[in-house]
Amino acid sequence: MELTFYWYPKCGTCRNAKKWLDENGISYHAIHIAEHPPTRSELGTLYKNSGLELKKFFNVSGQKYRELGLKDKVKTASEDELLDILASDGMLLKRPILTDGNKVTVGFKEDEYKSTWL
């Protein structure tokens, strides 16, 4: 199954991940995360399949995260509220997100990519 690669082209981490995928001959379908963010339903699936805490899906260094004052809200909001917030704007999502429909990685760490996708 082809991988789905949610990324933001101006993001250096995303460009590094894309370069790594290309250099390792891994095929993927790239989706601009700001223009075509995952739906709330897709986010729910990504979250469940990732094994990560939902707060790990937030781009905590992003301008939108700071503008909305989400630092404290993330600590107390329910899972449903957090999914709604994440689905409201692709720029709130930590990127890149890479999935094959079962496995999911969030962000880019070369070691994690090697162990998950090679």
Side-chain angles (χ1 to χ4, degrees), residues 28-39:
Y28 56 88
H29 173 69
I31 298 175
H32 192 299
I33 202 164
E35 294 175 1
H36 304 285
T39 64

Side-chain angles (χ1 to χ4, degrees), residues 22-92:
D22 293 340
E23 287 174 349
N24 285 279
I26 298 172
S27 73
Y28 56 88
H29 173 69
I31 298 175
H32 192 299
I33 202 164
E35 294 175 1
H36 304 285
T39 64
R40 188 192 187 287
S41 172
E42 290 167 333
L43 281 169
T45 301
L46 290 168
Y47 161 56
K48 296 283 187 236
N49 290 346
S50 73
L52 298 170
E53 293 178 76
L54 191 50
K55 65 183 181 182
K56 297 285 186 190
F57 278 79
F58 281 89
N59 175 13
V60 296
S61 60
Q63 182 179 351
K64 194 80 170 178
Y65 183 86
R66 290 190 304 272
E67 280 175 12
L68 297 175
L70 293 175
K71 183 178 179 184
D72 294 323
K73 183 156 182 101
V74 167
K75 294 175 187 169
T76 59
S78 71
E79 187 175 290
D80 281 334
E81 289 173 311
L82 293 177
L83 284 168
D84 287 340
I85 292 166
L86 284 168
S88 72
D89 190 326
M91 294 305 282
L92 288 172

